[in-house]
Amino acid sequence: MNDEPEPSPADELTPLGGIVHRLARLPVTEPDADAQAAVAELFPTGPARAEYLWRFAALIALSSSIAAFGLLADSAGVVIGAMLVAPLMTPILAAAAATVRALNRELLIAVAIIAAGTALAIAVGALVSFIAGSTIVGATELPREVEARTFPGLLDLGIAVTAGAAAGYILPRRSATSALPGVGIAVALVPPLVVVGITLEAGADDEAANAFLLYITNLAAIVFSASVMLLFAGFRPHVRRTRRRLATRVLITFALVAAVAIPLSLHTRSTIEDSRLRGIVAEEITRWDPSARIVDLDAEVSGGTAEVEVLVAGPNEPREVWTLARSAQERFGGPLDFELRYAVDLRFEVVVR
């Protein structure tokens, strides 16, 4: 007698729902005792839970402090060190494991730990920025390491998905756990949160929102792809009647990934447009005056309008700027606001005897 549950109507609403449901019903080999123990360690109980929470809070505070100082000092090496100290990957993998095992209580605990760690990392970033970075960072001048985490794109989503899959593959295989720190380096969790704190303290709200989007992207993608890998490893709910809900759980995590993919797509498209505009302006300046050199070029597309600010230096008096703006506008194919500053190179040779 087959006691497998029939597919629920919700699972059959989409082709993806049917795929996930069938994946959950595939006959798989039960994970061995070592794999089961490795996953069980993600859920400490009793006195071990209190010790784990204190250790988690301490490591979040320390890793966030390291990341904040590294970001403000524009040091990539220090930021990488902070990624190795950060403990956020453990509750995130616990959330993935609780998702596929239908452990509702453990899932809520993991989400609560993630939320607390998120708030603490942001607070530490803002505090360190207030104490040490008030003369270093402002709303209009961000260190390169900070700015790099304020404009996420689809490539960041791809990194997070593959890193989460790697974490889900490594988790039940103790022989491969030495590779887990590499996952923590590949997908940044604490640094974007610290950037949120730094940029909020600096008054750069848009940059803070973008940094938080990067963090949410990494979080959702890791939970989804790690859940899928744990399914392939044979992890399922212990009670058969709860398996019909498994597809819904995985679909919810996929929906979160799809939701963050929308703004990431817009960011990626904006980046491509800005890069194209900069290339057009640089080429047209070379044609406009081959002897001129670009000192600084800021070009972005906003609301369909190209905005260009450029500083050019050259040995001659500038030629008619409207011809340069017109040629750039024609190649761009839309309205263009053009501002050019031209500095005449002066050379002095003095012989004093």
Side-chain angles (χ1 to χ4, degrees):
M1 182 176 181
N2 186 8
D3 59 352
E4 288 287 339
E6 292 298 321
S8 65
D11 295 334
E12 298 296 343
L13 287 177
T14 64
L16 181 59
I19 292 173
V20 174
H21 184 84
R22 288 174 178 80
L23 176 62
R25 289 165 57 94
L26 286 176
V28 293
T29 303
E30 186 74 12
D32 59 29
D34 190 54
Q36 297 274 9
V39 172
E41 289 174 1
L42 295 172
F43 309 103
T45 58
R49 176 176 293 169
E51 181 183 351
Y52 163 74
L53 292 176
W54 280 111
R55 183 172 65 250
F56 175 82
L59 289 177
I60 281 288
L62 292 171
S63 62
S64 300
S65 300
I66 295 170
F69 285 116
L71 289 164
L72 291 173
D74 222 4
S75 173
V78 175
V79 176
I80 291 173
M83 295 178 192
L84 290 172
V85 178
L88 267 173
M89 186 64 74
T90 299
I92 291 175
L93 290 178
T99 297
V100 299
R101 300 302 294 267
L103 303 174
N104 294 333
R105 184 170 179 271
E106 285 75 5
L107 177 58
L108 291 176
I109 292 173
V111 171
I113 293 173
I114 293 169
T118 298
L120 181 57
I122 293 174
V124 170
L127 179 62
V128 172
S129 179
F130 175 75
I131 295 173
S134 58
T135 60
I136 301 174
V137 62
T140 58
E141 51 174 306
L142 296 172
R144 183 185 53 179
E145 286 294 320
V146 173
E147 191 174 7
R149 291 165 174 84
T150 60
F151 210 84
L154 287 175
L155 289 179
D156 296 294
L157 178 60
I159 293 170
V161 168
T162 51
Y169 176 83
I170 293 169
L171 177 61
R173 297 170 174 85
R174 293 185 187 272
S175 60
T177 53
S178 60
L180 200 55
V183 176
I185 295 175
V187 57
L189 292 167
V190 164
L193 291 176
V194 174
V195 168
V196 173
I198 291 173
T199 49
L200 283 176
E201 197 280 329
D205 295 342
D206 291 342
E207 285 76 8
N210 288 338
F212 193 70
L213 173 62
L214 174 59
Y215 169 72
I216 292 298
T217 297
N218 293 338
L219 176 61
I222 291 172
V223 172
F224 169 71
S225 53
S227 298
V228 172
M229 294 304 294
L230 289 173
L231 282 174
F232 279 116
F235 289 90
R236 297 288 191 279
H238 291 298
V239 181
R240 286 186 181 275
R241 67 172 177 272
T242 63
R243 294 189 180 183
R244 70 175 61 194
R245 303 170 187 167
L246 178 58
T248 302
R249 295 170 181 270
V250 177
L251 283 173
I252 289 173
T253 61
F254 176 79
L256 292 175
V257 174
V260 298
I262 296 173
L264 292 178
S265 300
L266 297 177
H267 281 196
T268 301
R269 180 179 178 182
S270 177
T271 300
I272 294 173
E273 281 290 305
D274 292 349
S275 178
R276 172 175 168 265
L277 176 60
R278 283 192 294 271
I280 289 174
V281 173
E283 290 178 6
E284 291 304 319
I285 288 174
T286 301
R287 295 176 183 174
W288 175 68
D289 186 352
S291 64
R293 58 186 176 84
I294 299 174
V295 179
D296 187 36
L297 173 58
D298 184 15
E300 64 177 17
V301 181
S302 178
T305 299
E307 299 177 358
V308 177
E309 294 182 9
V310 59
L311 172 61
V312 176
N316 307 313
E317 289 295 323
R319 303 179 181 181
E320 293 179 324
V321 179
W322 71 267
T323 60
L324 170 60
R326 173 63 67 184
S327 60
Q329 185 272 332
E330 289 176 351
R331 287 190 58 188
F332 173 69
L336 182 145
D337 296 335
F338 195 90
E339 178 182 328
L340 180 138
R341 289 176 292 163
Y342 192 98
V344 178
D345 285 334
L346 300 177
R347 180 180 178 184
F348 299 91
E349 292 186 10
V350 180
V351 178
V352 179
R353 299 185 186 278

